[in-house]
Structure formats: C-alpha cells, structure tokens
C-alpha cells in the first residue's frame, strides 16, 4: 500500500528503522477498537455537517467490511493501515477520515477501550476464584490447623480462617482493578494531536458512542498520560503478589514435611528421571509470573519518568507491557482457581501436626479470666511452663506444674484443647464456627455487589454499541 504521509517531502524510510519503530506487531490488540473509533468519529463528522453524508457513509461501510489486518511494517501502525484501507476502497471520500483527529488521541482512546474490556475479564476471573475460596471454606468448617507467625507454629486456627485470608486480600485486588476501570473511563477523542481542532466537533457524542462515561477534557493530558495504564498494571501486579503467596504456601504444604495438601494429578507434573515425583508446577509458574508483573510495572513506570508532556513515541513502547500483564495475570488467576477448586486438604495431618504449645496464649488468657492475674504475669508464667514442657505434651506439663506453683486446683485445664480454643474466639473475624459462617455470609454479599458492578459495566458497553449502530442507521435515512 502507498505511504499516505511522506508525500513529496520525505524520502522513503529505512526498512530496518521502519520495523524498529512500528507498533504493528502489537496493534492487533486494539484493531477492533480502532475500527469502532473511526466509525464513531466519522458518524459524528457527518452529523455535524463536516463531511458529506454519502461520502461518510461509504467510509463507514469500508470500515465495517475490514476484517483483520495483514501485518505490514510499511504503514507504521494500525491507525495508518485502517486509513489506507478505507482510501483504497472508497477513494477520495476516505481522505476525510482523519479530519479533526490524530493517531495520538486515537491510540490513547483505543488502549483505554481495550483495557476496560480486559479489566472486566480480570475481575470476572477474580470473582470466580473468590467464590471457590468461599466454597472450600464452607466445606472445611471445623478443620483445625496450626496457625503460623515467623513460619513457627503460633496458635490453632481453622482451615476456613486461613482460606478466608486469601479471599479477603483478593477482595482488595478486585477493588483496585475496579478503580483502574474508572480511571480509564474517560475519552481522549477530539484532543487530536494535542491541541484539539478548530472544527465544531461533538466530543461528548463520540465519547458516548464509544462507551465512555465522560470526555477527557484537557487535550495535552489526554494524549500524554498513561497513568491509567500503570494503575491497571499495579492492580494486576498486586493480584499476582497475592497469588504468589498462596502458591508458595501450597508448594510448601504439599511437601512431605508438611503434607497438608495433595495437588490433583491433573495439575502436577513428574520427573524425567525420578519415577516417584509429583511436582506442584502450576503454583511454581504462578509464583514466577508474579515476577514478570513486577518487571512490567518497573518498565512502564521508567518509560513515563521524565517524559515531556504531549505525545512521544516512547508511549508506544509502554502498551505491549499492558497486554502481557493482563494475559499473565488472567491466566494465573484462572489456574489458581483450578488449584483451589481441586486441591485436597488433609485435615488429619493438619490436626496431628498441631503442637500443644500453640495453646499457650489461651492458657495465659484463662489465668487472667479465672484467677484475675495480670496478662503480663500470666504470659511469663506460661512461658516458663512451655520451657519445662520441651518435648512433652504442653497441657500435661501445665496440669502437673501449675496447681503447685499457684497453690490452687485448676480443674478447667482439662477443657484446654485446640478445638475449644478455636471455638472460643467468637468476636467478629474470630475462628469459631459462627464467626466463620458470618464472614462467609459477608463475603458472599461482597461478591454479589462486585458481580453487580461487573454486570452494569458490561450492560453499559453493550448499550453504547447499540447506540452507535442506531446512530449510524439514523444517518442513512
Ligand atoms: N503507534 C502509536 C502508538 O501506539 C501511535 C501513533 C503515534 N505516532 C505519531 N507519530 N504521533 O502509540
């Protein structure tokens, strides 16, 4: 195809330089969006009397017929390729396609549109994972396990309590992604290269037809800024950090030393030499992909640092990082959902591994409650018992030593066990059955609200598509 821009002024570009500076290899991500923007923009130009109706409609027909692009570096990018296609189909009429717009506002708009779709996909997958976690928590009510701090056994907790921690942190990831959607939901079209245009265009109309909730008024900011893109990458990176921590725990828990979980065969690999091996490879890849996301964030932030305002081609180099961030994160969320859905928890092993000394905090609490001792005194006293207990059953040693040390009978020591301790925490967020059920209920309501948010956004994008259709049909009459 003929170069549209260099005209009589510039010599042809060096082929290697052309390839080096072209965004064609990544532009397939925004092809549909660029097409739609051109349709909406041309429809607006016609409605404002800036382009002849028949000529405008011819352009729109040519855009509609365009199905995919041959990757070709000569035309620099998808924007020029689309324009060249329309001109080749409808001749001179197509030469008005770029009136009052530029690749600068067009690419910023297209990235925002594609990003919004990806955010909705990511949120949908995260909500599905969150629902899986709620289900697995409900299935394991009453399963008692060691809770850890510093990777040392600390206090007895329940498996649902631990799974709900995953659920809770992923909730903030959903909210961050929802926020990144709202930041991206402003339309740069009409900013043109950086300075808007002298033609009497309707920016609000184009924004609405493209499914945006508002116009991004400032034109220099509109073509310059990619902070919305970093917000999304940050949201995805944080999601990956959370997934990587879950993955790490499952890897450790599936070791022989822990034996708390068994990975399903379908999600494990084996060894080419060691016939007995079963490796938690899905979790390992999730853990590693989290590092990719850190890289994407650092790469994109560095490209924006000190970049002069308005458009610079550096911005082009940011965009592929956004797409790979979404692909890595969405794949990882889906895979962790599969893992969480099918991993087998070994309740007996968890219970058997609980060290008696994890009851120490509760014993100190009981001394406060039953004997009116100060907490610090009780803490010190129980510390002494735990030292004496080394290697022996903690509660047995307490029963043997404490009555003599305090000079009173302590019959209630018999009731001290992991189950009673877990059940005794009845506060909001506590480990008792009722508190856990309450958290699960609250969690379900939260997910329902987020699903509503998702449905509303999907519906409003659909409405915009329908409005674009009927606006174009309206021009035909
Ligand atoms: N391909 C560019 C991008 O992806 C948009 C084109 C801007 N080029 C220009 N010469 N102003 O950001």
């Amino acid at each position: 195809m003929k170069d549209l821009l260099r005209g009589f002024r510039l010599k042809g570009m060096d082929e290697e330089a052309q390839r080096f500076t072209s965004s064609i290899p990544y532009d397939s991500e925004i092809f549909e969006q660029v097409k739609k923007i051109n349709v909406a923009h041309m429809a607006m130009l016609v409605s404002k009397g800036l382009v002849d109706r028949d000529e405008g409609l011819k352009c729109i027909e040519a855009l509609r017929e365009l199905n995919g692009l041959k990757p070709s570096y000569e035309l620099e990018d998808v924007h020029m390729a689309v324009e060249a296609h329309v001109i080749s189909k409808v001749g001179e009429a197509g030469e008005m396609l770029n009136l009052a717009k530029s690749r600068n506002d067009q690419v910023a708009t297209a990235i925002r549109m594609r990003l919004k779709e990806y955010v909705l996909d990511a949120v949908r997958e995260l909500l599905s994972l969150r629902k899986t976690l709620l289900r697995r928590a409900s299935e394991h009510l009453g399963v008692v396990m060691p809770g850890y701090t510093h990777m040392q056994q600390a206090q007895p907790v329940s498996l649902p309590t631990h799974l709900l921690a995953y659920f809770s942190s992923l909730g903030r990831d959903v909210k961050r992604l929802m926020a990144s959607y709202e930041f991206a939901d402003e339309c740069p079209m009409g900013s043109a290269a950086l300075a808007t245009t002298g033609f009497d265009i309707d920016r609000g109309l184009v924004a609405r037809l493209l499914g945006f909730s508002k116009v991004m008024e400032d034109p220099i900011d509109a073509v310059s800024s990619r902070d919305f893109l970093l917000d999304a990458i940050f949201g995805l990176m944080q999601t990956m950090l959370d997934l990587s921590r879950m993955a790490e725990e499952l890897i450790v828990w599936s070791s022989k030393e822990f034996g708390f979980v068994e990975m399903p065969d379908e999600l494990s690999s084996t060894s080419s030499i060691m016939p007995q091996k079963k490796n938690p490879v899905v979790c390992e890849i999730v853990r590693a992909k989290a590092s990719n996301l850190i890289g994407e964030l650092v790469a994109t932030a560095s490209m924006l640092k000190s970049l002069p305002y308005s458009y610079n081609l550096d911005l082009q180099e940011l965009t592929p990082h956004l797409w790979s961030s979404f692909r890595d994160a969405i794949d990882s969320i889906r895979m962790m959902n599969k893992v969480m859905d099918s991993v087998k928890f070994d309740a007996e092993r968890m219970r058997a591994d609980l060290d008696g000394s994890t009851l120490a905090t509760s014993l100190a609490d009981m001394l406060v409650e039953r004997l009116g001792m100060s907490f610090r005194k009780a803490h010190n006293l129980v510390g002494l018992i735990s030292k004496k207990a080394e290697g022996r059953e903690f509660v047995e040693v307490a029963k043997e030593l404490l009555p003599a040390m305090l000079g009173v009978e302590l019959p209630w020591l018999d009731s001290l066990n992991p189950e009673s301790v877990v059940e005794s925490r009845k506060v909001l967020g506590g480990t008792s059955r009722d508190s856990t059920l309450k958290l699960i209920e609250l969690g379900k309501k939260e997910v329902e609200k987020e699903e509503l948010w998702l449905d509303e956004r999907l519906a409003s994008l659909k409405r915009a598509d329908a409005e674009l259709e009927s606006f174009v049909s309206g021009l035909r009459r």
Side-chain angles (χ1 to χ4, degrees), residues 23 27 76-77 79 103-104 107 226 311 313 315-316 319:
S23 57
D27 280 347
E76 286 187 42
D77 55 25
H79 314 282
R103 284 182 285 171
N104 299 353
V107 74
R226 293 291 185 273
Y311 190 86
L313 202 60
L315 293 175
Q316 172 176 293
T319 317

Side-chain angles (χ1 to χ4, degrees), residues 227-239:
D227 47 308
F228 68 94
L229 183 155
L230 260 80
D231 283 325
I233 296 182
F234 181 80
L236 297 169
M237 182 208 65
Q238 182 54 59
T239 304

Side-chain angles (χ1 to χ4, degrees), residues 231-460:
D231 283 325
I233 296 182
F234 181 80
L236 297 169
M237 182 208 65
Q238 182 54 59
T239 304
M240 289 303 297
L241 296 187
D242 287 334
L243 295 186
S244 77
R245 298 175 73 179
M246 292 161 57
E248 167 73 3
E249 289 201 330
L250 292 177
I251 291 166
V252 172
W253 286 4
S254 65
S255 67
K256 178 167 185 301
E257 287 69 14
F258 271 80
F260 285 4
V261 297
E262 193 190 335
M263 285 288 165
D265 289 357
E266 293 85 343
L267 303 176
S268 307
S269 78
T270 184
S271 157
S272 60
I273 178 170
M274 299 168 283
Q276 86 286 11
K277 290 286 300 245
K278 186 169 168 187
N279 300 325
V281 286
V282 170
C283 289
E284 289 173 315
I285 293 297
V286 168
R287 190 169 58 179
K289 282 205 184 285
S291 310
N292 286 351
L293 265 285
I294 296 172
E296 309 288 22
L297 187 67
V298 172
T300 46
S302 320
M303 287 176 206
L304 281 182
K305 182 192 165 288
S306 312
L307 193 68
Y309 267 74
S310 180
Y311 190 86
N312 300 276
L313 202 60
D314 309 43
L315 293 175
Q316 172 176 293
E317 201 63 23
L318 262 99
T319 317
H321 293 280
L322 180 66
W323 312 138
S324 52
S325 296
F326 272 113
R327 282 194 294 263
D328 270 353
I330 289 173
D331 285 352
S332 301
I333 301 165
R334 291 177 62 83
M335 291 315 297
M336 278 311 276
N337 196 2
K338 285 194 180 196
V339 169
M340 282 301 169
D341 184 64
S342 54
V343 68
K344 239 171 71 200
F345 296 100
D346 189 336
E348 264 171 48
R349 181 68 190 265
M350 289 177 171
R351 177 65 179 84
D353 252 29
L354 245 174
D355 193 83
S357 68
T358 56
L359 301 173
T361 310
S362 294
L363 175 56
D365 287 348
M366 283 172 129
L367 293 175
V368 171
E369 224 169 39
R370 311 240 175 185
L371 305 183
M373 198 180 281
S374 80
F375 178 72
R376 191 52 66 219
K377 271 207 190 68
H379 178 269
N380 277 313
L381 189 59
V382 176
L384 211 62
I385 304 284
S386 80
K387 185 170 162 69
K388 298 233 191 264
E390 250 157 46
R392 294 167 57 208
E393 191 39 56
F394 175 80
V395 178
E396 289 312 310
V397 176
K399 283 205 277 199
E400 192 182 298
L401 301 180
L402 262 184
M405 287 164 86
L406 298 172
V408 282
E409 293 295 307
L410 304 172
W412 42 262
L413 272 177
D414 283 330
S415 67
L416 183 60
N417 60 57
E419 283 72 20
S420 68
V421 163
V422 165
E423 194 47 37
S424 73
R425 304 185 193 112
K426 296 188 189 301
V427 293
L428 182 64
T431 46
S432 72
R433 190 187 174 87
D434 282 354
S435 298
T436 304
L437 284 172
K438 174 112 200 253
L439 281 195
I440 293 175
E441 262 332 290
L442 289 174
K444 280 186 186 156
K445 290 218 175 81
E446 198 180 301
V447 170
E448 272 167 28
K449 262 209 222 136
E450 287 158 352
E451 283 178 332
L452 211 63
W453 178 91
L454 187 66
D455 291 344
E456 279 169 11
R457 297 301 172 290
L458 286 168
S460 107

